């Protein structure tokens, strides 16, 4: 069943995003308003929303213009947040998440976005979109703000500890991602470690450094970086295993939240400070926008033959719109083709990808 | 050669801290003013400063009261920041760092503090203060601010990846540390991981969880915690390997710095905001004190038969005073004896420590 409206006219230049409208803690309550935020910015983007039509439509009815740019594909089936990835994959046929990813595979959409079960999404994406030739494992990549520009970081938790070759491949995937996302020709790449000296760090990190210092990379390998280099913007791409990456990501989020908490506490503690805060209202608003983690929500599964973006499960409409925007940007920059070309080029040169 | 002043009268109840005055990027320029900050708070604390007397004395002369509470023990020898730990250890006899640690071993001081070479300090401390019976490896523990209370975290980089038994021992050491530092009888302990479900995480972390759920702990084991639980204050003690811990620590520091950077940028961007910032001056000052990383400077090598505190090498006097304060607090709470008693008790019960 479809809600394809008459004035929905897909155009060649327009980007279409397949949305799992049922994913995450809030489903369409967040997915539809989130899509509307992006729609207000860019009327060219089309959406296909997969999920329970009776739950999606009431939200969509609030935004007539978005409704015109959106098609609903109904399904009753949803993957639960707590399902094991293997079980979820087996029972995934016809689910809103799988249908959204399949829309990318069939060419109906340029990218898929879901706030659902991360493990299930990775398992389904691997089956449906398939791994790129020669790539061991997918990784989860995101873009974070830095004092200088922004930093692409991966893996954020698609894997835990990996071997040195896989870690070195993540460097390739991260560099290719940065080339497409940031539109730069020679991204700098650093390997996350506990120190910058050669002798430091666990075996798999030192062995990956050894590999990266020898092979040709679609970027410039800069050696080890440390946790604070992520926000310094020392390199375009920070590469790590999913164990270190996930812990770094969540620790950083926690520090951000704590800082905000103490700031609010301090500023609301005396009348003079409240007045000061009021005078600085617009400056504080600009500041909040700079450090708001919702504006950097969205992890891309790299290493696959299509764009698949994971949103935080607990985010709100603003956060979900960031994941949609990231998907749209990658699609617009021709990410899938650029990655495939780069991997083919590297394969023919007998490097890491074989 | 010693600068033992006439009115220096060691008392039984007073705490004496042995200071490597030559460690870190700034040596006595930071160590002496740092000691004075603590001295202003607590006149009972005595200091023995090891290092080049001709470099220490000019700084000490600025603080007559501190000078009366301080004895200088002269040595020309200093361990360089870039020396390899093994080489530094072999050549360490008579160095300011080793002499400070030896002062703890001989009972002249209750604790040693240095901002010098971390690897060298750990190697020397292991030889001089020795490992507690049954403990595999020392770990580096610190106390961080949280939204609820504070969080003891270890290992912050004394090791990289460790096996499950060693990780489980860190939980014991962390719990004992929290008991002495926070003066609580039953600290809660969490194991840092990439998710809270049993199936998640690397092998050594899951195996350590298995051990911790079975053995008796000098605290209450609460299962897995994630990066943002460090600042939430979910548990009293967060346990991890030094690879994850060091990356989490530095990432958190980086996010804190970036937040401050963007805040300053925003608040100085328009006249109204500058006025607002001026009105909120005292509130902002209180806020800064809450999140200032210098106030949480100081890592303790746990698992040793004495108190040995490592200060950040690049910190200033305020930061160094925090490391000294931490050493003083642990000494005052009888940390060394409490740890030894706890380890003996656990050994006799045939648990993790054997």
């Amino acid at each position: 069943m479809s809600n394809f409206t008459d004035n929905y006219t897909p155009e060649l230049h327009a980007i279409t995003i397949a949305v799992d409208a049922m994913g995450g803690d809030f489903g369409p309550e967040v997915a539809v308003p989130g899509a509307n935020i992006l729609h207000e910015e860019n009327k060219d983007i089309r959406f296909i929303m997969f999920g329970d039509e009776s739950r999606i439509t009431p939200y969509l009815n609030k935004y007539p213009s978005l409704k015109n740019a959106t098609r609903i594909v109904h399904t009753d089936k949803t993957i639960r947040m707590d399902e094991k990835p293997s079980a979820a994959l087996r029972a995934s046929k016809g689910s809103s998440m799988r249908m959204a990813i399949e829309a990318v595979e069939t060419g109906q959409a340029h990218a898929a976005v879901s706030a659902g079960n991360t493990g299930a999404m990775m398992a389904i994406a691997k089956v449906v979109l398939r791994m790129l030739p020669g790539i061991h494992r997918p990784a989860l990549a995101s873009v974070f703000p830095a004092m200088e520009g922004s930093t692409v970081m991966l893996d954020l938790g698609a894997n835990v500890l990996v071997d040195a070759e896989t870690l070195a491949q993540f460097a390739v995937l991260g560099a290719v991602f940065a080339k497409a996302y940031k539109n730069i020709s020679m991204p700098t790449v650093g390997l996350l470690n506990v120190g910058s000296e050669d002798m430091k760090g666990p075996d798999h990190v030192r062995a990956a450094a050894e590999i990266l210092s020898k092979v040709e990379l679609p970027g410039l390998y800069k050696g080890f970086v440390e946790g604070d280099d992520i926000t310094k913007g020392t390199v375009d791409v920070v590469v790590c295993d999913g164990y270190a990456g996930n812990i770094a990501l969540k620790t950083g989020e926690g520090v951000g939240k704590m800082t905000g908490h103490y700031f609010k506490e301090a500023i609301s503690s005396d009348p003079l400070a409240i007045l000061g805060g009021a005078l600085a209202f617009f400056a504080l608003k600009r500041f909040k926008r700079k450090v708001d983690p919702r504006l950097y929500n969205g992890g891309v599964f790299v290493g696959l033959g299509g764009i698949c973006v994971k949103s935080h499960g607990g985010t709100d409409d603003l956060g979900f719109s960031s994941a949609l925007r990231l998907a749209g940007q990658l699609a617009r920059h021709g990410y899938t083709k650029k990655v495939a070309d780069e991997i083919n080029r590297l394969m023919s040169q007998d490097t890491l990808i074989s």
Side-chain angles (χ1 to χ4, degrees), chain A:
Chain A
M1 200 189 301
S2 141
N3 193 24
F4 208 106
T5 59
D6 286 345
N7 50 352
Y8 171 82
T9 45
E11 287 162 51
L12 272 178
H13 71 272
I15 297 296
T16 301
I17 302 176
V19 181
D20 168 16
M22 311 308 285
D25 301 343
F26 307 107
E29 185 186 339
V30 153
V32 177
N36 193 57
I37 292 173
L38 188 60
H39 176 74
E40 294 283 326
E41 288 170 25
N42 188 333
K43 299 277 196 290
D44 282 345
I45 295 175
R46 310 286 159 191
F47 299 94
I48 312 176
M49 296 203 179
F50 295 86
D52 184 341
E53 186 167 10
S54 70
R55 286 191 54 205
I56 299 169
T57 306
Y59 291 104
L60 208 49
N61 283 340
K62 294 184 188 171
Y63 312 103
S65 173
L66 171 68
K67 196 175 178 182
N68 284 341
T70 301
R71 180 157 66 99
I72 299 178
V73 178
H74 176 80
T75 175
D76 285 328
K77 204 164 163 183
T78 304
I79 292 174
R80 287 197 325 276
M81 293 299 271
D82 59 353
E83 256 174 286
K84 281 205 176 184
S86 51
L89 173 64
R90 275 195 302 277
S92 63
K93 280 251 164 79
S95 66
S96 57
M97 183 191 279
R98 180 158 184 154
M99 288 173 80
I101 297 171
E102 281 171 346
V104 177
E105 207 277 322
T106 58
Q108 293 177 275
H110 298 88
V113 178
S114 173
N117 183 323
T118 311
M121 191 171 183
M122 177 161 126
I124 294 168
K126 271 168 77 174
V127 167
V128 174
L129 298 176
R130 288 178 298 276
M131 304 290 303
L132 288 168
I135 299 295
H136 299 176
R137 303 179 62 84
L140 200 53
S142 269
V143 187
F144 297 106
M147 286 188 269
E148 296 280 333
S150 62
T151 306
V152 171
M153 186 168 161
L154 77 167
D155 175 24
L156 296 170
N159 313 274
V160 281
L161 291 170
V162 294
D163 61 26
E165 286 73 25
T166 305
L167 196 51
Q169 278 200 348
F170 290 171
V172 175
L173 293 171
V176 173
F177 180 90
K179 280 172 94 155
Y181 179 80
K182 293 185 163 189
N183 231 350
I184 47 178
S185 63
M186 213 48 175
T188 53
V189 178
L191 197 54
L192 190 62
N193 200 355
V194 300
S196 53
E197 303 87 349
D198 283 352
M199 57 176 184
K200 289 229 172 160
D203 292 343
H204 70 296
V205 178
R206 280 184 292 127
E210 189 78 18
I211 298 173
L212 288 172
S213 63
K214 285 178 192 158
V215 300
E216 201 211 352
L217 201 68
L220 202 58
Y221 176 60
K222 291 290 209 178
F224 293 140
V225 294
E226 298 186 58
D228 54 344
D229 287 304
I230 303 165
T231 43
K232 270 187 201 157
T234 311
V235 288
D236 294 309
V237 184
V238 169
V239 179
C240 57
D241 56 59
Y243 173 55
N246 186 278
I247 287 173
L249 169 71
K250 287 181 182 155
T251 302
E253 280 177 6
V255 170
K257 267 186 206 160
M258 182 178 69
T259 309
H261 167 85
Y262 280 137
F263 182 73
K264 268 183 219 149
E265 198 177 83
I267 209 84
S268 60
S269 62
D270 71 62
L272 225 50
I274 293 170
L275 180 60
L279 287 174
F281 180 78
F282 290 105
L284 290 177
K285 205 171 161 183
R286 277 196 306 278
F287 163 65
K288 271 188 203 158
R289 273 195 85 82
K290 272 280 194 190
V291 295
D292 189 338
R294 292 175 300 175
L295 298 175
Y296 308 98
N297 176 42
V300 184
F301 285 108
V302 295
L304 301 171
I307 303 169
C308 189
V309 178
K310 169 70 176 77
S311 161
H312 231 293
T315 198
D316 63 6
D317 51 349
L318 182 62
F320 196 75
S321 75
S322 302
L324 293 170
R325 190 178 299 103
L326 178 60
Q329 277 168 333
L330 288 172
R332 197 171 298 272
H333 292 173
Y335 170 74
T336 307
K337 188 174 175 333
K338 279 189 186 171
V339 173
D341 289 352
E342 197 73 53
I343 297 294
N344 279 334
R345 190 181 67 81
L346 288 170
M347 280 192 87
S348 68
Q349 291 183 358
D350 188 29
T351 53
L352 269 179
I353 316 299
S354 56

